């Protein structure tokens, strides 16, 4: 069982947490209206946990992902705002622990028995272009692991682009929206982590990297074509 401790009001008392959050806690805590800035402390992963994950999944974990887990086995930071007399949860930044860094499969995507298979969606997959890399595939051509469930608004994924056995240099970070469309985020985990912190974990911030932007449900035009793909 992983030991976890909640640490509100970090201040400067825990420099290792300040390093982990790139100093964003100070900015949040000094911002008007922001309250309950909390990080759930997680112990570092042991090297054998990383080796076991690699052997189980037949994938070599990228060095920056390894270094992250050797610092903390997962990450979860939240903050709220005070509006009148009410405290409203707003920001949430999360990275799954190694035990929850699981491969996306048909069963993890759908709960309905008559849902289409992931292979049915391959017809809509576009190849690489000058401004966009080739999108991940739901079949054996790609190996996909969930980094963050985004509180149900999509999935941030570590994607191995060349199937198994999967090499560390073949990885990218992608966002899979609720309509099961892929959106490229970054080439490396480190770059994604900086994006996560920079956007403060605001709700649906990953949609800023889609063509339809944040809160697509607020934009009815063009949504009909996406709804046929289903959602998870």
């Amino acid at each position: 069982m992983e030991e976890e401790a909640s640490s509100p009001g970090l201040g400067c008392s825990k420099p290792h947490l300040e390093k982990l959050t790139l100093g964003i806690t100070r900015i949040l805590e000094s911002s008007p209206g922001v309250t309950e800035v909390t990080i759930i402390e997680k112990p570092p992963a042991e090297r054998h946990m990383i080796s076991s994950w690699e052997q189980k999944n037949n994938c070599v974990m990228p060095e920056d992902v390894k270094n992250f887990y050797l610092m903390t086995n997962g990450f979860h930071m939240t903050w709220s705002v005070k509006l009148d007399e009410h405290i409203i949860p707003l920001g949430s930044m999360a990275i799954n622990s190694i035990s929850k860094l699981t491969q996306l499969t048909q069963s993890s995507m759908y709960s309905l028995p008559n849902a289409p298979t992931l292979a049915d969606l391959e017809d809509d997959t576009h190849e690489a272009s000058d401004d966009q890399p080739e999108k991940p595939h739901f079949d054996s051509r790609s190996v996909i692991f969930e980094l963050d469930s985004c509180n149900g608004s999509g999935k941030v994924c570590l994607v191995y682009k060349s199937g198994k056995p999967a090499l560390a240099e073949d990885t990218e970070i992608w966002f899979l929206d609720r309509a099961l469309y892929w959106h490229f985020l970054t080439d490396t985990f480190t770059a994604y982590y900086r994006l996560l912190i920079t956007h403060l974990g605001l709700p649906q911030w990953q949609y800023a990297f889609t063509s339809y932007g944040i809160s697509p449900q607020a934009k009815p035009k063009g949504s009909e074509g996406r709804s046929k793909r289903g959602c998870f």
Side-chain angles (χ1 to χ4, degrees):
M1 181 71 67
E2 297 174 359
E3 294 182 3
E4 298 181 354
S6 178
S7 298
L10 301 178
C12 58
S13 60
K14 297 189 176 182
H16 66 290
L17 294 181
E18 279 289 291
K19 180 180 179 181
L20 180 64
T21 60
L22 307 181
I24 201 66
T25 51
R26 294 177 182 271
I27 297 175
L28 285 170
E29 289 174 339
S30 62
S31 299
V34 173
T35 185
E36 296 185 355
V37 180
T38 304
I39 181 170
I40 299 176
E41 290 190 65
K42 299 174 183 286
E46 298 179 12
R47 290 189 179 274
H48 74 82
M49 298 169 66
I50 295 174
S51 299
S52 296
W53 184 92
E54 291 180 321
Q55 293 175 6
K56 174 184 176 182
N57 294 290
N58 197 15
C59 297
V60 178
M61 187 178 287
E63 283 300 315
D64 56 354
V65 180
K66 286 183 184 179
N67 292 336
F68 172 81
Y69 282 124
L70 290 172
M71 182 184 300
T72 175
N73 189 9
F75 176 68
H76 192 197
M77 179 177 177
T78 60
W79 54 277
S80 302
V81 293
K82 190 171 184 180
L83 188 62
D84 296 328
E85 297 302 315
H86 302 284
I87 294 178
I88 303 172
L90 186 59
S92 178
M93 292 163 267
I95 300 290
N96 284 342
S97 64
I98 290 180
S99 63
K100 294 182 179 179
L101 186 63
T102 54
Q103 186 173 347
L104 254 61
T105 61
Q106 175 71 24
S107 60
S108 67
M109 299 295 292
Y110 290 104
S111 57
L112 299 176
N114 60 345
T117 66
L118 295 180
D120 292 335
L121 305 179
E122 284 298 323
D123 291 340
D124 293 335
T125 301
H126 301 291
E127 297 304 317
S129 61
D130 292 338
D131 58 344
Q132 279 287 324
E134 181 181 352
K135 294 183 179 181
H137 298 279
F138 289 114
D139 56 25
S140 60
R141 286 174 289 178
S142 301
V143 190
I144 305 165
F145 296 92
E146 180 183 314
L147 285 169
D148 179 14
S149 62
C150 305
N151 291 321
S153 65
K155 294 180 186 293
V156 172
C157 300
L158 172 68
V159 178
Y160 289 82
K161 302 297 291 292
S162 301
K164 295 183 179 182
L167 304 177
E169 57 266 29
D170 290 334
T171 57
E172 294 171 345
I173 308 299
W174 287 74
F175 175 59
L176 182 65
D177 68 22
R178 282 185 56 84
L180 303 182
Y181 277 84
W182 286 107
H183 309 276
F184 176 76
L185 292 178
T186 61
D187 288 314
T188 66
F189 173 80
T190 298
Y192 169 73
Y193 187 76
R194 289 173 180 155
L195 273 185
L196 172 65
I197 299 298
T198 301
H199 287 83
L200 305 176
L202 288 167
Q204 301 185 23
W205 69 265
Q206 294 90 352
Y207 281 90
F209 293 83
T210 70
S211 60
Y212 32 91
I214 296 173
S215 297
Q217 65 269 29
K219 301 178 181 180
K221 290 184 178 180
S223 62
E224 297 82 4
R226 291 191 294 271
S227 62
K228 68 181 178 66
R229 294 166 64 97
C231 62
F232 43 79

